[in-house]
Amino acid sequence: MSKLKSKIKKDKTFLIREDYHKEHLRKINSEKEKIYLGGGKKSIEKLHARKKLHCRERVDLLIDKDSYFMEIGTFAGYGMYEEHGGAPSSGTIFGIGKIHGRDCVIVANDATVKAGAWFPITCKKNLRAQEISMENNLPIIYLVDSAGVFLPMQDEIFPDKEHFGRIFRNNAVMSSMGIPQIAAIMGPCVAGGAYLPIMSDEALIVEGHGSIFLAGAHLVKAAIGEVTDNESLGGATVTTEISGITDEKMADDKECIEKIRELVSKLGHGAKAGFDRTEAKDTVYPASEIYGIIPEDSAKQYDAYEIINRIIDDGDFDEYKPTYGKTIITGYARIEGWAVGIVANQRSIVKSKTGEMQFGGVIYSDSADKGARFIMNCNQRKIPLLFLQDVTGFMVGSRSEHGGIIKDGAKMVNAVANSVVPKITIITGNSYGAGNYAMCGKAYDPRFIFAYPNAQIAVMGGSQASNVLLDIKIGQMKKLGKEISEEDKKIFLDEIKAIYEEQTNVLYAASRLWVDDVIDPKDTRKIVANCIEIANNNPEMKKFNVGVIQT
């Protein structure tokens, strides 16, 4: 296996880039710290006064001491629902952590955010949690403390296929798959939401705080005229001793969490997927140097080999077709000992096999052909795939069209879509147009998808989009016999660019769960290795078949 060598010099350019990305990351981490507080410090203090723990404190107690909790969807709901007071982290946290050494999906309602009410994005986030549990054969723990659906937005969360009811449907499907589901009712559990814990394998309830019923006291009185209270309807004593819908009552949050840990410790162990792993070796160059490699301007070029060399073991990279289709890099490596196939967009300008210069970040016919073949190889060899995505799209123009760029692009998209090995995608820069699809964007079922703080996701770049839309507007004006002034052109362009700047911001994508989370570039190696370890828990993979591919 050949060793990658670095050409990076810590010169002025490196330091400018490093400072830019560190400052960008600092701003994002500052927003994350606010999100961690949910409804705010005062709301958390009120929970403590009632002898309850905040959801993040519950998770910290549940996972193994000093272990890593890979949170998903931290920024879900960011900047959304402002007219309703906002929904930090969508009012729910979830991620994957170890309980007695076993990877588990953990979902916890945040009672400090609208009493844990469900917004549309909350539902999407919970469905993502269940999807990860099913794809990776992981036990799932629900820490329930929720007032139910956020009624002012019920039409966006209740009736459709990917809405609230899908969660209970998944409960049933997961049960049939043999995936352990444990629920702890640590606060209110109301109406349709009551089905989630009761459709789990085991349901615990915290005395004095937990309650579960289809209709609360106010609704019961309005519906049938009966006067009662919530504790009498579905408190811990009623549900464990009379209705029997919960299995055991716990004195407080801490006792409940310890009981969950005991239950998980006794779960049986199944087969693994069998992805190859050897003893891990350190990287040759520190991962923190990624800050100084990626340009502060997404239009600038850089060498993607330098990124690869800061996440793989010992610089060992067995490249596939190194002299062909150079705007995509493909090759085999190890990350913390795990075998992995890497598909990365090369952002440097390179020479094609005919000697012509090719733009970095653009997928050409030869690159697409190479990418498709490599993806098929990894599927045949049962090697997980890592996509390092910084792509502006496929090459356009008469020469590319005549050369069959659409056909070659379709080959790669087909291979990505039908791939059965785990796919992990990290957006390291641009993610534009069909390039997003070919490099395993969210629509192509990556097991996990993350983004660097500088990532941008859109159908095309802001400057290209604004010029296209301006041309359309000018054409429309001409049809009406009107002209558009230079000043109006500038105003129009500025408006479009402003919209694109907002919508291509990485937090816009993260708030809508287009990516699982925004990550620190220096943590890339740790996160990828953790994802492969998680994926290794599911031994079942479909037979690889790419379907019809035109040659």
Side-chain angles (χ1 to χ4, degrees):
M1 190 175 286
S2 59
K3 299 270 188 183
L4 289 181
K5 295 180 180 179
S6 178
K7 299 176 183 177
I8 289 293
K9 296 178 181 178
K10 293 187 178 181
D11 53 12
K12 184 179 178 181
T13 299
F14 180 95
L15 296 174
I16 288 172
R17 291 175 175 181
E18 183 180 52
D19 287 345
Y20 172 83
H21 289 292
K22 283 185 175 180
E23 177 61 15
H24 199 164
L25 184 64
R26 185 195 66 76
K27 291 177 181 177
I28 283 179
N29 285 338
S30 177
E31 293 301 309
K32 188 177 285 189
E33 290 299 321
K34 295 175 189 174
I35 289 169
Y36 285 165
L37 294 174
K41 288 183 179 180
K42 288 184 179 180
S43 296
I44 294 174
E45 288 169 3
K46 287 180 181 178
L47 281 183
H48 291 167
R50 295 173 57 205
K51 309 296 184 185
K52 293 180 69 174
L53 297 175
H54 185 236
C55 56
R56 293 189 179 275
E57 295 170 325
R58 289 168 175 168
V59 172
D60 286 343
L61 278 176
L62 183 57
I63 62 175
D64 295 344
K65 190 176 180 181
D66 299 325
S67 65
Y68 173 52
F69 181 65
M70 189 172 80
E71 187 168 350
I72 303 293
T74 309
F75 290 96
Y78 179 84
M80 299 168 69
Y81 315 123
E82 295 299 327
E83 69 276 20
H84 299 295
S89 206
S90 80
T92 297
I93 66 168
F94 103 78
I96 300 98
K98 290 190 183 296
I99 301 175
H100 287 289
R102 183 194 299 267
D103 288 313
C104 295
V105 175
I106 302 167
V107 185
N109 299 121
D110 189 342
T112 68
V113 179
K114 294 287 190 296
W118 289 56
F119 290 80
I121 196 66
T122 319
C123 186
K124 186 175 182 179
K125 186 170 176 178
N126 276 261
L127 288 170
R128 177 68 178 132
Q130 291 180 319
E131 180 181 47
I132 287 174
S133 174
M134 288 187 280
E135 285 183 335
N136 300 288
N137 195 33
L138 300 182
I140 186 166
I141 316 296
Y142 306 103
L143 306 181
V144 184
D145 195 344
S146 172
V149 168
F150 186 63
L151 290 177
M153 303 187 75
Q154 65 84 27
D155 62 318
E156 297 181 45
I157 189 173
F158 172 66
D160 211 344
K161 181 178 179 179
E162 299 299 329
H163 284 179
F164 203 50
R166 188 75 173 183
I167 291 166
F168 317 133
R169 175 265 186 195
N170 286 350
N171 285 138
V173 170
M174 293 163 74
S175 181
S176 72
M177 294 170 66
I179 294 174
Q181 299 176 82
I182 301 171
I185 302 162
M186 310 180 90
C189 187
V190 185
Y195 286 105
L196 185 146
I198 305 311
M199 292 186 75
S200 298
D201 305 320
E202 197 139 1
L204 311 174
I205 188 166
V206 177
E207 192 169 15
H209 297 301
S211 58
I212 180 167
F213 35 69
L214 292 181
H218 292 295
L219 184 55
V220 167
K221 183 179 180 181
I224 64 173
E226 180 184 351
V227 178
T228 184
D229 60 75
N230 288 343
E231 190 66 25
S232 300
L233 277 169
T237 299
V238 169
T239 58
T240 56
E241 298 179 16
I242 299 174
S243 68
I245 63 172
T246 59
D247 302 313
E248 192 172 352
K249 64 181 176 182
M250 302 287 121
D252 54 28
D253 283 4
K254 290 183 179 178
E255 183 181 75
C256 188
I257 287 167
E258 187 54 42
K259 180 69 175 182
I260 295 170
R261 286 185 54 81
E262 288 178 14
L263 293 170
V264 172
S265 73
K266 296 175 178 65
L267 295 176
H269 295 270
K272 299 291 184 182
F275 304 127
D276 188 66
R277 191 178 196 184
T278 58
E279 185 178 349
K281 296 179 181 178
D282 291 335
T283 58
V284 176
Y285 304 95
S288 59
E289 290 184 356
I290 294 174
Y291 300 135
I293 294 169
I294 298 175
E296 69 284 7
D297 181 350
S298 63
K300 291 182 178 178
Q301 306 291 312
Y302 67 91
D303 189 352
Y305 286 105
E306 300 290 356
I307 304 293
I308 294 169
N309 208 4
R310 281 150 183 85
I311 63 173
I312 63 174
D313 290 10
D314 202 32
D316 289 332
F317 190 61
D318 187 7
E319 190 166 2
Y320 176 76
K321 292 185 179 288
T323 60
Y324 179 75
K326 293 183 179 180
T327 63
I328 284 183
I329 300 168
T330 52
Y332 308 99
R334 292 188 182 274
I335 295 178
E336 291 194 5
W338 291 103
V340 62
I342 297 175
V343 182
N345 298 114
Q346 174 58 293
R347 285 306 310 271
S348 291
I349 295 175
V350 298
K351 282 186 179 181
S352 72
K353 58 186 177 182
T354 59
E356 67 178 304
M357 302 307 290
Q358 293 183 335
F359 296 104
V362 179
I363 301 176
Y364 290 77
S365 285
D366 53 357
S367 304
D369 176 69
K370 178 171 86 169
R373 291 173 181 274
F374 180 73
I375 290 164
M376 289 189 281
N377 281 357
C378 287
N379 275 272
Q380 283 186 327
R381 300 172 189 183
K382 208 162 136 179
I383 300 174
L385 282 158
L386 171 63
F387 292 84
L388 299 176
Q389 189 183 120
D390 191 347
V391 59
T392 53
F394 285 90
M395 190 59 190
V396 297
S398 58
R399 183 168 183 172
S400 291
E401 299 292 0
H402 296 170
I405 185 65
I406 297 175
K407 179 182 67 175
D408 291 319
K411 289 181 191 176
M412 187 171 177
V413 170
N414 193 323
V416 172
N418 286 297
S419 179
V420 296
V421 294
K423 298 170 289 191
I424 301 157
T425 301
I426 298 180
I427 302 172
T428 62
N430 301 315
S431 180
Y432 294 155
N436 171 284
Y437 302 158
M439 290 296 293
C440 198
K442 187 63 182 289
Y444 288 78
D445 297 323
R447 289 287 181 98
F448 298 95
I449 178 169
F450 302 100
Y452 285 177
N454 58 296
Q456 296 184 340
I457 304 172
V459 71
M460 63 178 71
S463 58
Q464 296 98 318
S466 55
N467 284 314
V468 169
L469 291 171
L470 177 61
D471 288 343
I472 293 171
K473 189 173 183 69
I474 291 171
Q476 290 171 339
M477 297 289 280
K478 284 182 177 179
K479 285 181 181 179
L480 296 171
K482 299 177 181 179
E483 294 290 334
I484 183 169
S485 68
E486 291 301 319
E487 184 179 352
D488 286 341
K489 285 182 185 179
K490 184 179 183 307
I491 292 170
F492 181 78
L493 284 172
D494 289 344
E495 287 175 352
I496 296 298
K497 284 180 181 177
I499 291 170
Y500 260 74
E501 280 180 14
E502 177 192 357
Q503 294 183 352
T504 58
N505 186 295
V506 71
L507 294 186
Y508 189 92
S511 71
R512 288 153 179 81
L513 292 173
W514 298 348
V515 295
D516 287 325
D517 217 346
V518 181
I519 64 170
D520 186 335
K522 71 176 174 57
D523 292 336
T524 303
R525 175 177 162 84
K526 174 180 76 173
I527 288 170
V528 171
N530 192 50
C531 289
I532 298 174
E533 182 179 353
I534 289 167
N536 197 43
N537 285 290
N538 190 353
E540 295 185 12
M541 281 190 290
K542 296 177 183 177
K543 183 179 179 182
F544 178 61
N545 187 343
V546 294
V548 177
I549 292 184
Q550 290 184 323
T551 56

